[in-house]
Amino acid sequence: MERRTFLKSAGAVLAATGLAGIARPARADSLPVVRWRMTSSFPKYLDTVYGGAEFIAARVYRVTHGKFNIRVYPAGEIIPGLRVLDAVQSGEIESGQTVSLYNINRSKVFGFDSALPFGLNVRQQNAWMYYGGGLQLMREFYTKYNIYNIPCGNTGTQMGGWFRKEINSLADMQGLKMRITGFGGEMMTRLGVDARMLEAGEIYPALEQGAIDAAEWIGPYDDEKFGFYQVAPHYYYPGFWELSSMITLYVNMDEWNRLPQFYQDVLELACAEANVNMMADYDHKNPEAMRRLLANGVQVHPYPQDIVEAAHKASFDIYAEESRKDQDFNKIYSQWKPYRDLQYQWFGIAEKSFTGLEELG
Amino acid sequence: MERRTFLKSAGAVLAATGLAGIARPARADSLPVVRWRMTSSFPKYLDTVYGGAEFIAARVYRVTHGKFNIRVYPAGEIIPGLRVLDAVQSGEIESGQTVSLYNINRSKVFGFDSALPFGLNVRQQNAWMYYGGGLQLMREFYTKYNIYNIPCGNTGTQMGGWFRKEINSLADMQGLKMRITGFGGEMMTRLGVDARMLEAGEIYPALEQGAIDAAEWIGPYDDEKFGFYQVAPHYYYPGFWELSSMITLYVNMDEWNRLPQFYQDVLELACAEANVNMMADYDHKNPEAMRRLLANGVQVHPYPQDIVEAAHKASFDIYAEESRKDQDFNKIYSQWKPYRDLQYQWFGIAEKSFTGLEELG
């Protein structure tokens, strides 16, 4: 059984890993002042996910008494939100907080540490990354990009989007103009959906004017701010293309290697804390937001079953095609898929039944 | 909206809290060598949960270059597993890793940071503790015990126990001799169950000889080691009295206050990491264990609905009675209950539907 690589620590455990090296008994007062920048793929108004970046920086600053000082920039302030991979790879910036699915058009491998349709929920994702070999596989992949990657947050299962009109079956999806990007967009295209990419600010007017029929965004807390419900009151669930969406810190590999080991440790600790913490923050905020949305007349529906089934088939077709085309994808997918299947089997027992207790609640 | 107290960090965020104090720019080489002991309520063979204690100690050791050195002892080596609260309170030992429900006979308040029947799952528990005000409420409560408490792990939803014979309705529970302790035992007693306390090592022979008819323990990975399935092949789910079970580090308050702030920070970081990490470790191990159990002929059943309903009623009866009797309980319960209800409402939407995707998987 593999243990989370970066958690190897003292004594025998430390000796068992070559990755982190041997703890150097450095005198902490001799540690250098390090100033980094961290660009986020997210704007400030996504305070939960963007807040994760500020959270990491603040924690690192505090624990190192200000010697390791990371300044955080929201998307677009110095680097566009979708250019984080390039900027970190080239060393233009030391680090970036992002969701790897923004790079899915370069390689579908970027889905494994963010979100894949009918993939892992947040706990399964953590299990795979920390104990199931996922982090090792992804770190190997990121060496191609000169990046050291650290999981640092999650959104949980996202909602399936806002629709102007109710949909009742797969037939209603034909030609439907929907704002949905990346892997989800590709999957939806195979279902006959006219998938569109729109920036956040464009979505509301497009829905209002009927330029699009539907739009997916994140979940109740983040979606509420845009007021989508005023023009598209049908709120579908789940976002089966993002059953969880892991957030990652990209660190330029040269910068990572230059860090004193103590700073590496603190950064990884802060990211682990941010990982549990961002999910808890979302889980705190989403229930209240959903209550307000329901009070505002939002109609919540599950996706019709034939849509889910068609999407499921389309997703696994894409996985099979990608495995034939891309060796990197195939390597990880062939390890990930049985892991995912076994996880689904287990989560279908005790954890699933939990949700059956609500009606009593 | 409340933010996780111990995560307050630099700048304005730091200034907003009085709890953690102002970061002192101490020279790290002037930090003292601190040697602590940490007793666990768990034996070594519960390697996932006990491993959490060693994990914390190793992480702290590494990050402080060995200056903050915590030696971990399994249950019974120096302190009995059920005596952790007393030992930490009195200062007999600096710290202890435990599950607060072991103290439920003293006060049902100890359920709020461990497990309550029909309570919170692991994500809801984290949301309540870190963002929903739970940690503040519990810290206030623990001052009575001279203890500083830090969440540091979870088991997730537990299984509902091993039965020698299949049960089909509430009638089958009448007089049934079941190993189940604490709050769960009290609840089961109201259902007509003859609830018994047995130590871990006593369970298998009691089941084998028919001295008991059923026994609950933890989940597949931990249960498998005892071989219960060989004498009680019916494995029920869920353990609705432990929909999650949070693990806590108790620190003697005087020892806590004596720690340099840097050590306090590192200990809290390591506990947050252990929190996400232990759950991931269980989620990694349980699916494999369940697969092996199923291959060994274990029959998995959901609890009959009338039992769940009766248990639900009994649990909320107990909560109402306790609220009248115990002011501390009432204070926290009246904040917790609406929080829990809203969480159940939200988790009944996107996250619940996730589990409906298995059949396709």
Side-chain angles (χ1 to χ4, degrees):
Chain A
M1 181 171 311
E2 296 178 271
R3 300 274 301 190
R4 178 173 183 183
T5 311
F6 74 85
L7 300 174
K8 307 293 187 182
S9 17
V13 184
L14 185 67
T17 177
L19 251 194
I22 300 300
R24 293 182 293 272
R27 287 164 57 105
D29 66 338
S30 67
L31 288 169
V33 171
V34 173
R35 292 186 191 281
W36 270 17
R37 292 161 305 152
M38 181 189 296
T39 189
S40 175
S41 282
F42 310 103
K44 273 195 175 173
Y45 64 76
L46 293 178
D47 57 304
T48 311
V49 60
Y50 171 76
E54 293 216 323
F55 176 86
I56 292 165
R59 196 55 153 166
V60 166
Y61 183 91
R62 177 183 161 112
V63 174
T64 65
H65 298 297
K67 286 192 157 185
F68 186 8
N69 188 339
I70 304 172
R71 183 163 171 194
V72 179
Y73 297 87
E77 199 163 308
I78 53 170
I79 308 279
L82 300 178
R83 239 182 49 72
V84 171
L85 181 75
D86 285 339
V88 176
Q89 178 176 4
S90 69
E92 182 181 345
I93 194 164
E94 294 84 1
S95 65
Q97 182 221 33
T98 190
V99 59
S100 301
L101 59 83
Y102 284 172
N103 311 310
I104 204 91
N105 292 333
R106 301 191 191 197
S107 166
K108 289 200 169 58
V109 172
F110 288 106
F112 288 109
D113 66 345
S114 52
L116 287 170
F118 300 93
L120 304 174
N121 72 10
V122 57
R123 281 174 48 187
Q124 297 168 338
Q125 179 72 15
N126 286 338
W128 183 67
M129 288 294 277
Y130 291 147
Y131 289 91
L135 193 55
Q136 287 88 334
L137 287 165
M138 292 308 295
R139 290 217 165 130
E140 194 183 325
F141 172 75
Y142 277 105
T143 58
K144 295 188 179 189
Y145 294 88
N146 196 37
I147 279 174
Y148 187 81
N149 55 305
I150 315 176
C152 65
N154 210 308
T155 66
T157 300
Q158 299 197 3
M159 289 292 287
W162 300 89
F163 287 71
R164 284 162 54 94
K165 295 184 187 156
E166 209 174 330
I167 50 169
N168 295 305
S169 73
L170 186 56
D172 292 343
M173 300 294 274
Q174 304 314 304
L176 185 129
K177 295 185 285 293
M178 180 172 188
R179 187 268 178 201
I180 179 170
T181 60
F183 211 135
E186 185 174 340
M187 175 197 72
M188 282 295 194
T189 301
R190 296 197 181 199
L191 269 57
V193 170
D194 180 0
R196 309 277 181 97
M197 170 60 201
L198 282 79
E199 298 293 338
E202 302 168 339
I203 300 174
Y204 183 95
L207 277 174
E208 188 180 29
Q209 295 152 23
I212 56 174
D213 306 300
E216 70 93 30
W217 185 238
I218 300 176
Y221 178 74
D222 292 324
D223 293 7
E224 186 189 23
K225 295 171 189 159
F226 289 91
F228 299 139
Y229 66 92
Q230 295 164 26
V231 287
H234 300 281
Y235 200 17
Y236 280 80
Y237 68 86
F240 36 80
W241 53 94
E242 286 179 82
L243 296 172
S244 77
S245 196
M246 181 167 258
I247 309 301
T248 301
L249 183 68
Y250 288 175
V251 179
N252 176 276
M253 188 64 86
D254 306 315
E255 297 294 340
W256 176 257
N257 289 331
R258 265 198 284 275
L259 278 187
Q261 181 213 297
F262 171 61
Y263 290 179
Q264 291 179 343
D265 285 349
V266 170
L267 189 57
E268 298 214 270
L269 274 167
C271 286
E273 192 181 32
N275 190 14
V276 62
N277 197 55
M278 186 189 295
M279 189 69 266
D281 195 8
Y282 267 116
D283 283 337
H284 177 69
K285 290 167 173 167
N286 276 326
E288 290 278 5
M290 184 56 100
R291 175 161 68 180
R292 289 189 298 266
L293 289 170
L294 290 169
N296 279 323
V298 167
Q299 294 179 53
V300 173
H301 314 272
Y303 266 105
Q305 188 63 16
D306 64 345
I307 295 175
V308 177
E309 283 169 16
H312 185 270
K313 182 181 179 310
S315 301
F316 284 89
D317 285 350
I318 296 172
Y319 296 147
E321 293 163 24
E322 203 61 25
S323 293
R324 285 191 293 272
K325 279 193 300 199
D326 179 348
Q327 213 172 355
D328 287 337
F329 186 89
N330 184 53
K331 178 182 175 184
I332 301 180
Y333 183 72
S334 57
Q335 191 269 2
W336 178 89
K337 177 62 164 57
Y339 196 89
R340 171 233 180 246
D341 291 348
L342 193 60
Q343 286 286 334
Y344 270 53
Q345 191 180 97
W346 162 241
F347 269 74
I349 303 174
E351 294 287 344
K352 178 180 183 179
S353 66
F354 164 80
T355 57
L357 300 175
E358 274 113 296
E359 292 70 27
L360 301 167
Chain B
M1 183 167 314
E2 296 179 272
R3 301 273 302 190
R4 180 174 183 181
T5 310
F6 74 85
L7 299 175
K8 308 294 186 181
S9 15
V13 185
L14 186 67
T17 176
L19 252 195
I22 301 299
R24 293 182 295 271
R27 286 166 58 105
D29 66 336
S30 68
L31 288 170
V33 171
V34 173
R35 293 186 189 281
W36 271 18
R37 292 162 306 153
M38 180 189 296
T39 188
S40 174
S41 282
F42 310 102
K44 274 196 175 173
Y45 63 76
L46 293 178
D47 56 303
T48 311
V49 60
Y50 171 76
E54 293 216 323
F55 176 86
I56 292 165
R59 196 57 153 166
V60 166
Y61 183 91
R62 177 183 162 114
V63 174
T64 64
H65 298 297
K67 284 191 159 187
F68 186 7
N69 187 339
I70 305 172
R71 181 162 172 195
V72 180
Y73 297 87
E77 197 164 307
I78 55 170
I79 308 280
L82 299 178
R83 240 181 47 71
V84 171
L85 181 75
D86 285 339
V88 175
Q89 177 175 6
S90 69
E92 182 182 343
I93 193 163
E94 294 85 2
S95 65
Q97 182 222 34
T98 190
V99 59
S100 301
L101 59 83
Y102 284 172
N103 312 309
I104 204 93
N105 292 333
R106 301 191 191 196
S107 166
K108 290 199 169 58
V109 172
F110 288 107
F112 288 108
D113 66 345
S114 52
L116 287 170
F118 300 92
L120 305 174
N121 72 9
V122 56
R123 281 175 47 186
Q124 297 168 339
Q125 179 72 15
N126 286 337
W128 183 67
M129 289 294 277
Y130 291 147
Y131 289 91
L135 193 55
Q136 287 88 333
L137 288 165
M138 292 309 294
R139 290 219 165 128
E140 194 183 324
F141 172 75
Y142 277 104
T143 59
K144 296 189 177 187
Y145 294 87
N146 197 39
I147 280 175
Y148 187 80
N149 54 305
I150 315 176
C152 65
N154 209 308
T155 66
T157 300
Q158 299 197 3
M159 290 291 288
W162 300 89
F163 287 70
R164 284 164 53 96
K165 294 185 187 155
E166 208 174 330
I167 50 169
N168 295 305
S169 74
L170 186 56
D172 293 343
M173 300 294 274
Q174 305 313 303
L176 185 129
K177 296 185 284 294
M178 181 174 186
R179 187 267 178 201
I180 179 171
T181 60
F183 211 135
E186 185 173 341
M187 175 197 72
M188 282 295 192
T189 301
R190 296 196 182 199
L191 269 57
V193 169
D194 180 359
R196 309 277 181 94
M197 169 61 200
L198 282 78
E199 299 292 340
E202 302 169 339
I203 300 174
Y204 183 94
L207 278 174
E208 187 180 28
Q209 294 152 24
I212 57 174
D213 305 300
E216 70 94 28
W217 185 240
I218 300 176
Y221 178 74
D222 291 325
D223 294 8
E224 187 189 23
K225 295 171 188 159
F226 290 92
F228 299 140
Y229 67 92
Q230 294 163 28
V231 288
H234 299 281
Y235 200 17
Y236 280 80
Y237 66 87
F240 36 80
W241 51 94
E242 285 179 82
L243 296 172
S244 77
S245 196
M246 181 168 257
I247 308 301
T248 301
L249 183 69
Y250 288 175
V251 179
N252 177 277
M253 189 65 86
D254 307 314
E255 297 293 341
W256 176 257
N257 289 333
R258 264 199 285 274
L259 278 187
Q261 181 215 298
F262 171 61
Y263 290 0
Q264 291 179 343
D265 285 349
V266 170
L267 190 56
E268 299 215 269
L269 275 168
C271 286
E273 192 181 31
N275 191 13
V276 61
N277 197 54
M278 188 189 295
M279 189 69 266
D281 195 8
Y282 267 117
D283 283 337
H284 177 70
K285 290 168 173 167
N286 276 326
E288 291 276 6
M290 184 57 100
R291 175 161 68 179
R292 288 189 298 267
L293 288 170
L294 290 169
N296 278 322
V298 166
Q299 294 180 52
V300 172
H301 313 273
Y303 265 106
Q305 187 63 14
D306 65 344
I307 294 176
V308 178
E309 284 170 16
H312 185 270
K313 182 179 179 311
S315 301
F316 284 89
D317 285 350
I318 296 172
Y319 296 147
E321 293 163 25
E322 203 63 25
S323 293
R324 286 191 292 273
K325 281 193 299 198
D326 178 350
Q327 213 172 355
D328 288 336
F329 186 90
N330 184 52
K331 178 182 174 185
I332 301 180
Y333 184 73
S334 57
Q335 190 269 0
W336 177 90
K337 177 63 164 57
Y339 195 89
R340 173 233 179 247
D341 291 348
L342 194 60
Q343 286 286 334
Y344 269 52
Q345 192 180 96
W346 162 241
F347 269 74
I349 303 174
E351 294 287 345
K352 178 180 181 178
S353 66
F354 163 79
T355 56
L357 300 176
E358 272 112 297
E359 293 71 28
L360 301 167

